[in-house]
Structure formats: C-alpha cells, structure tokens
PDB file of all heavy atoms in Angstrom:
ATOM      1  N   LYS Q   1     111.101 111.537 -54.849  1.00 64.00           N
ATOM      2  CA  LYS Q   1     111.924 111.298 -56.033  1.00 64.00           C
ATOM      3  C   LYS Q   1     112.981 110.228 -55.785  1.00 64.00           C
ATOM      4  O   LYS Q   1     113.331 109.462 -56.683  1.00 64.00           O
ATOM      5  CB  LYS Q   1     112.596 112.600 -56.464  1.00 64.00           C
ATOM      6  CG  LYS Q   1     111.644 113.618 -57.079  1.00 64.00           C
ATOM      7  CD  LYS Q   1     112.394 114.856 -57.558  1.00 64.00           C
ATOM      8  CE  LYS Q   1     111.455 115.831 -58.254  1.00 64.00           C
ATOM      9  NZ  LYS Q   1     112.168 117.055 -58.724  1.00 64.00           N
ATOM     10  N   GLY Q   2     113.493 110.168 -54.557  1.00 64.00           N
ATOM     11  CA  GLY Q   2     114.525 109.188 -54.231  1.00 64.00           C
ATOM     12  C   GLY Q   2     113.970 107.829 -53.851  1.00 64.00           C
ATOM     13  O   GLY Q   2     114.739 106.896 -53.577  1.00 64.00           O
ATOM     14  N   GLY Q   3     112.633 107.705 -53.849  1.00 63.00           N
ATOM     15  CA  GLY Q   3     112.011 106.428 -53.542  1.00 63.00           C
ATOM     16  C   GLY Q   3     111.948 106.092 -52.067  1.00 63.00           C
ATOM     17  O   GLY Q   3     111.604 104.965 -51.689  1.00 63.00           O
ATOM     18  N   ARG Q   4     112.249 107.062 -51.199  1.00 64.00           N
ATOM     19  CA  ARG Q   4     112.211 106.800 -49.757  1.00 64.00           C
ATOM     20  C   ARG Q   4     110.795 106.726 -49.236  1.00 64.00           C
ATOM     21  O   ARG Q   4     110.535 106.040 -48.245  1.00 64.00           O
ATOM     22  CB  ARG Q   4     113.017 107.864 -49.013  1.00 64.00           C
ATOM     23  CG  ARG Q   4     114.508 107.697 -49.204  1.00 64.00           C
ATOM     24  CD  ARG Q   4     115.295 108.906 -48.723  1.00 64.00           C
ATOM     25  NE  ARG Q   4     116.719 108.683 -48.926  1.00 64.00           N
ATOM     26  CZ  ARG Q   4     117.330 108.767 -50.096  1.00 64.00           C
ATOM     27  NH1 ARG Q   4     116.625 109.082 -51.165  1.00 64.00           N
ATOM     28  NH2 ARG Q   4     118.613 108.531 -50.222  1.00 64.00           N
ATOM     29  N   ILE Q   5     109.902 107.472 -49.872  1.00 65.00           N
ATOM     30  CA  ILE Q   5     108.479 107.368 -49.538  1.00 65.00           C
ATOM     31  C   ILE Q   5     107.693 107.339 -50.842  1.00 65.00           C
ATOM     32  O   ILE Q   5     108.172 107.800 -51.885  1.00 65.00           O
ATOM     33  CB  ILE Q   5     107.998 108.542 -48.647  1.00 65.00           C
ATOM     34  CG1 ILE Q   5     108.202 109.886 -49.357  1.00 65.00           C
ATOM     35  CG2 ILE Q   5     108.713 108.539 -47.306  1.00 65.00           C
ATOM     36  CD1 ILE Q   5     107.650 111.068 -48.580  1.00 65.00           C
ATOM     37  N   SER Q   6     106.487 106.795 -50.790  1.00 70.00           N
ATOM     38  CA  SER Q   6     105.667 106.697 -51.994  1.00 70.00           C
ATOM     39  C   SER Q   6     105.085 108.056 -52.349  1.00 70.00           C
ATOM     40  O   SER Q   6     105.062 108.988 -51.529  1.00 70.00           O
ATOM     41  CB  SER Q   6     104.531 105.698 -51.760  1.00 70.00           C
ATOM     42  OG  SER Q   6     103.618 106.215 -50.792  1.00 70.00           O
ATOM     43  N   LYS Q   7     104.586 108.157 -53.574  1.00 71.00           N
ATOM     44  CA  LYS Q   7     103.955 109.400 -54.000  1.00 71.00           C
ATOM     45  C   LYS Q   7     102.738 109.707 -53.133  1.00 71.00           C
ATOM     46  O   LYS Q   7     102.488 110.866 -52.777  1.00 71.00           O
ATOM     47  CB  LYS Q   7     103.558 109.314 -55.473  1.00 71.00           C
ATOM     48  CG  LYS Q   7     104.740 109.325 -56.433  1.00 71.00           C
ATOM     49  CD  LYS Q   7     104.262 109.320 -57.883  1.00 71.00           C
ATOM     50  CE  LYS Q   7     105.447 109.376 -58.839  1.00 71.00           C
ATOM     51  NZ  LYS Q   7     105.013 109.369 -60.261  1.00 71.00           N
ATOM     52  N   ALA Q   8     101.969 108.659 -52.802  1.00 69.00           N
ATOM     53  CA  ALA Q   8     100.776 108.852 -51.969  1.00 69.00           C
ATOM     54  C   ALA Q   8     101.161 109.364 -50.587  1.00 69.00           C
ATOM     55  O   ALA Q   8     100.554 110.316 -50.065  1.00 69.00           O
ATOM     56  CB  ALA Q   8     100.000 107.556 -51.846  1.00 69.00           C
ATOM     57  N   SER Q   9     102.197 108.760 -49.982  1.00 67.00           N
ATOM     58  CA  SER Q   9     102.649 109.204 -48.666  1.00 67.00           C
ATOM     59  C   SER Q   9     103.192 110.618 -48.728  1.00 67.00           C
ATOM     60  O   SER Q   9     102.967 111.420 -47.809  1.00 67.00           O
ATOM     61  CB  SER Q   9     103.727 108.259 -48.130  1.00 67.00           C
ATOM     62  OG  SER Q   9     103.213 106.968 -47.912  1.00 67.00           O
ATOM     63  N   GLY Q  10     103.886 110.920 -49.823  1.00 66.00           N
ATOM     64  CA  GLY Q  10     104.410 112.270 -49.995  1.00 66.00           C
ATOM     65  C   GLY Q  10     103.300 113.297 -50.107  1.00 66.00           C
ATOM     66  O   GLY Q  10     103.384 114.391 -49.536  1.00 66.00           O
ATOM     67  N   TRP Q  11     102.228 112.928 -50.834  1.00 62.00           N
ATOM     68  CA  TRP Q  11     101.096 113.859 -50.987  1.00 62.00           C
ATOM     69  C   TRP Q  11     100.404 114.090 -49.652  1.00 62.00           C
ATOM     70  O   TRP Q  11     100.160 115.232 -49.269  1.00 62.00           O
ATOM     71  CB  TRP Q  11     100.111 113.281 -52.000  1.00 62.00           C
ATOM     72  CG  TRP Q  11      98.972 114.212 -52.286  1.00 62.00           C
ATOM     73  CD1 TRP Q  11      98.959 115.232 -53.202  1.00 62.00           C
ATOM     74  CD2 TRP Q  11      97.685 114.226 -51.651  1.00 62.00           C
ATOM     75  NE1 TRP Q  11      97.741 115.881 -53.175  1.00 62.00           N
ATOM     76  CE2 TRP Q  11      96.939 115.289 -52.230  1.00 62.00           C
ATOM     77  CE3 TRP Q  11      97.091 113.444 -50.656  1.00 62.00           C
ATOM     78  CZ2 TRP Q  11      95.635 115.586 -51.845  1.00 62.00           C
ATOM     79  CZ3 TRP Q  11      95.794 113.733 -50.266  1.00 62.00           C
ATOM     80  CH2 TRP Q  11      95.073 114.796 -50.860  1.00 62.00           C
ATOM     81  N   PHE Q  12     100.110 112.993 -48.945  1.00 59.00           N
ATOM     82  CA  PHE Q  12      99.449 113.139 -47.640  1.00 59.00           C
ATOM     83  C   PHE Q  12     100.343 113.876 -46.655  1.00 59.00           C
ATOM     84  O   PHE Q  12      99.877 114.705 -45.868  1.00 59.00           O
ATOM     85  CB  PHE Q  12      99.064 111.765 -47.075  1.00 59.00           C
ATOM     86  CG  PHE Q  12      97.821 111.197 -47.667  1.00 59.00           C
ATOM     87  CD1 PHE Q  12      97.874 110.102 -48.516  1.00 59.00           C
ATOM     88  CD2 PHE Q  12      96.581 111.763 -47.392  1.00 59.00           C
ATOM     89  CE1 PHE Q  12      96.715 109.573 -49.078  1.00 59.00           C
ATOM     90  CE2 PHE Q  12      95.416 111.239 -47.943  1.00 59.00           C
ATOM     91  CZ  PHE Q  12      95.490 110.142 -48.784  1.00 59.00           C
ATOM     92  N   GLY Q  13     101.649 113.567 -46.684  1.00 67.00           N
ATOM     93  CA  GLY Q  13     102.580 114.236 -45.785  1.00 67.00           C
ATOM     94  C   GLY Q  13     102.645 115.728 -46.041  1.00 67.00           C
ATOM     95  O   GLY Q  13     102.710 116.529 -45.098  1.00 67.00           O
ATOM     96  N   THR Q  14     102.601 116.106 -47.322  1.00 72.00           N
ATOM     97  CA  THR Q  14     102.631 117.529 -47.668  1.00 72.00           C
ATOM     98  C   THR Q  14     101.356 118.227 -47.213  1.00 72.00           C
ATOM     99  O   THR Q  14     101.395 119.317 -46.634  1.00 72.00           O
ATOM    100  CB  THR Q  14     102.815 117.701 -49.185  1.00 72.00           C
ATOM    101  OG1 THR Q  14     104.066 117.102 -49.578  1.00 72.00           O
ATOM    102  CG2 THR Q  14     102.819 119.171 -49.558  1.00 72.00           C
ATOM    103  N   VAL Q  15     100.211 117.584 -47.449  1.00 63.00           N
ATOM    104  CA  VAL Q  15      98.928 118.165 -47.044  1.00 63.00           C
ATOM    105  C   VAL Q  15      98.863 118.337 -45.522  1.00 63.00           C
ATOM    106  O   VAL Q  15      98.398 119.361 -45.010  1.00 63.00           O
ATOM    107  CB  VAL Q  15      97.760 117.285 -47.536  1.00 63.00           C
ATOM    108  CG1 VAL Q  15      96.443 117.749 -46.911  1.00 63.00           C
ATOM    109  CG2 VAL Q  15      97.676 117.322 -49.056  1.00 63.00           C
ATOM    110  N   LEU Q  16      99.363 117.334 -44.790  1.00 67.00           N
ATOM    111  CA  LEU Q  16      99.318 117.361 -43.326  1.00 67.00           C
ATOM    112  C   LEU Q  16     100.517 118.083 -42.708  1.00 67.00           C
ATOM    113  O   LEU Q  16     100.635 118.159 -41.489  1.00 67.00           O
ATOM    114  CB  LEU Q  16      99.260 115.926 -42.787  1.00 67.00           C
ATOM    115  CG  LEU Q  16      98.008 115.127 -43.160  1.00 67.00           C
ATOM    116  CD1 LEU Q  16      98.138 113.694 -42.675  1.00 67.00           C
ATOM    117  CD2 LEU Q  16      96.757 115.777 -42.575  1.00 67.00           C
ATOM    118  N   LYS Q  17     101.424 118.576 -43.585  1.00 82.00           N
ATOM    119  CA  LYS Q  17     102.618 119.308 -43.133  1.00 82.00           C
ATOM    120  C   LYS Q  17     103.484 118.448 -42.215  1.00 82.00           C
ATOM    121  O   LYS Q  17     103.957 118.898 -41.166  1.00 82.00           O
ATOM    122  CB  LYS Q  17     102.231 120.616 -42.446  1.00 82.00           C
ATOM    123  CG  LYS Q  17     101.489 121.588 -43.352  1.00 82.00           C
ATOM    124  CD  LYS Q  17     101.164 122.894 -42.652  1.00 82.00           C
ATOM    125  CE  LYS Q  17     100.452 123.848 -43.607  1.00 82.00           C
ATOM    126  NZ  LYS Q  17     100.098 125.145 -42.951  1.00 82.00           N
ATOM    127  N   ILE Q  18     103.689 117.195 -42.640  1.00 84.00           N
ATOM    128  CA  ILE Q  18     104.532 116.273 -41.884  1.00 84.00           C
ATOM    129  C   ILE Q  18     106.003 116.557 -42.190  1.00 84.00           C
ATOM    130  O   ILE Q  18     106.404 116.651 -43.344  1.00 84.00           O
ATOM    131  CB  ILE Q  18     104.209 114.811 -42.237  1.00 84.00           C
ATOM    132  CG1 ILE Q  18     102.764 114.479 -41.853  1.00 84.00           C
ATOM    133  CG2 ILE Q  18     105.186 113.860 -41.552  1.00 84.00           C
ATOM    134  CD1 ILE Q  18     102.476 114.565 -40.381  1.00 84.00           C
ATOM    135  N   CYS Q  19     106.800 116.681 -41.133  1.00 89.00           N
ATOM    136  CA  CYS Q  19     108.238 116.886 -41.273  1.00 89.00           C
ATOM    137  C   CYS Q  19     108.963 115.694 -40.650  1.00 89.00           C
ATOM    138  O   CYS Q  19     108.931 115.537 -39.414  1.00 89.00           O
ATOM    139  CB  CYS Q  19     108.674 118.170 -40.567  1.00 89.00           C
ATOM    140  SG  CYS Q  19     107.850 119.665 -41.135  1.00 89.00           S
ATOM    141  N   PRO Q  20     109.584 114.832 -41.446  1.00 89.00           N
ATOM    142  CA  PRO Q  20     110.286 113.685 -40.868  1.00 89.00           C
ATOM    143  C   PRO Q  20     111.515 114.129 -40.083  1.00 89.00           C
ATOM    144  O   PRO Q  20     112.240 115.032 -40.504  1.00 89.00           O
ATOM    145  CB  PRO Q  20     110.684 112.858 -42.094  1.00 89.00           C
ATOM    146  CG  PRO Q  20     110.705 113.829 -43.226  1.00 89.00           C
ATOM    147  CD  PRO Q  20     109.669 114.860 -42.913  1.00 89.00           C
ATOM    148  N   LEU Q  21     111.721 113.499 -38.936  1.00 92.00           N
ATOM    149  CA  LEU Q  21     112.912 113.738 -38.120  1.00 92.00           C
ATOM    150  C   LEU Q  21     113.755 112.468 -38.167  1.00 92.00           C
ATOM    151  O   LEU Q  21     113.280 111.381 -37.826  1.00 92.00           O
ATOM    152  CB  LEU Q  21     112.515 114.079 -36.685  1.00 92.00           C
ATOM    153  CG  LEU Q  21     113.647 114.382 -35.703  1.00 92.00           C
ATOM    154  CD1 LEU Q  21     114.467 115.580 -36.169  1.00 92.00           C
ATOM    155  CD2 LEU Q  21     113.087 114.651 -34.305  1.00 92.00           C
ATOM    156  N   LEU Q  22     114.993 112.597 -38.627  1.00 88.00           N
ATOM    157  CA  LEU Q  22     115.877 111.454 -38.841  1.00 88.00           C
ATOM    158  C   LEU Q  22     117.144 111.626 -38.012  1.00 88.00           C
ATOM    159  O   LEU Q  22     117.483 112.733 -37.587  1.00 88.00           O
ATOM    160  CB  LEU Q  22     116.275 111.330 -40.316  1.00 88.00           C
ATOM    161  CG  LEU Q  22     115.203 111.407 -41.400  1.00 88.00           C
ATOM    162  CD1 LEU Q  22     114.946 112.839 -41.834  1.00 88.00           C
ATOM    163  CD2 LEU Q  22     115.629 110.586 -42.623  1.00 88.00           C
ATOM    164  N   ASN Q  23     117.839 110.506 -37.806  1.00 90.00           N
ATOM    165  CA  ASN Q  23     119.199 110.607 -37.282  1.00 90.00           C
ATOM    166  C   ASN Q  23     120.077 109.584 -37.979  1.00 90.00           C
ATOM    167  O   ASN Q  23     119.608 108.825 -38.832  1.00 90.00           O
ATOM    168  CB  ASN Q  23     119.230 110.450 -35.757  1.00 90.00           C
ATOM    169  CG  ASN Q  23     119.160 109.004 -35.302  1.00 90.00           C
ATOM    170  OD1 ASN Q  23     118.580 108.151 -35.959  1.00 90.00           O
ATOM    171  ND2 ASN Q  23     119.755 108.735 -34.156  1.00 90.00           N
ATOM    172  N   MET Q  24     121.363 109.577 -37.626  1.00 87.00           N
ATOM    173  CA  MET Q  24     122.305 108.651 -38.241  1.00 87.00           C
ATOM    174  C   MET Q  24     122.586 107.514 -37.276  1.00 87.00           C
ATOM    175  O   MET Q  24     122.797 107.735 -36.084  1.00 87.00           O
ATOM    176  CB  MET Q  24     123.596 109.382 -38.610  1.00 87.00           C
ATOM    177  CG  MET Q  24     124.585 108.535 -39.374  1.00 87.00           C
ATOM    178  SD  MET Q  24     125.953 109.501 -40.035  1.00 87.00           S
ATOM    179  CE  MET Q  24     125.153 110.260 -41.457  1.00 87.00           C
ATOM    180  N   ASP Q  25     122.595 106.261 -37.796  1.00 85.00           N
ATOM    181  CA  ASP Q  25     122.822 105.114 -36.926  1.00 85.00           C
ATOM    182  C   ASP Q  25     124.309 104.780 -36.854  1.00 85.00           C
ATOM    183  O   ASP Q  25     125.158 105.516 -37.368  1.00 85.00           O
ATOM    184  CB  ASP Q  25     121.985 103.914 -37.389  1.00 85.00           C
ATOM    185  CG  ASP Q  25     122.475 103.290 -38.693  1.00 85.00           C
ATOM    186  OD1 ASP Q  25     123.483 103.761 -39.262  1.00 85.00           O
ATOM    187  OD2 ASP Q  25     121.840 102.328 -39.150  1.00 85.00           O
TER     188      ASP Q  25
END
C-alpha cells in the first residue's frame, strides 16, 4: 500500500512467507 514493493512482489512474498529484515541508516 505504501509503494515500497509492487503488488506482484507482495503476492509472491506472501505466498513464500518472506519477512523483510530492515534497519535504520
């Protein structure tokens, strides 16, 4: 929704149970 990833990437990420790990620069 925030445009950080595409809908397609979001769908594949959800199916594959991808959890992004981020930090602060």
Side-chain angles (χ1 to χ4, degrees):
K1 288 183 176 180
R4 287 168 180 76
I5 60 176
S6 68
K7 289 183 178 180
S9 296
W11 184 85
F12 281 110
T14 299
V15 170
L16 296 175
K17 298 182 179 179
I18 297 297
C19 302
L21 181 60
L22 312 88
N23 80 330
M24 186 170 282
D25 71 1

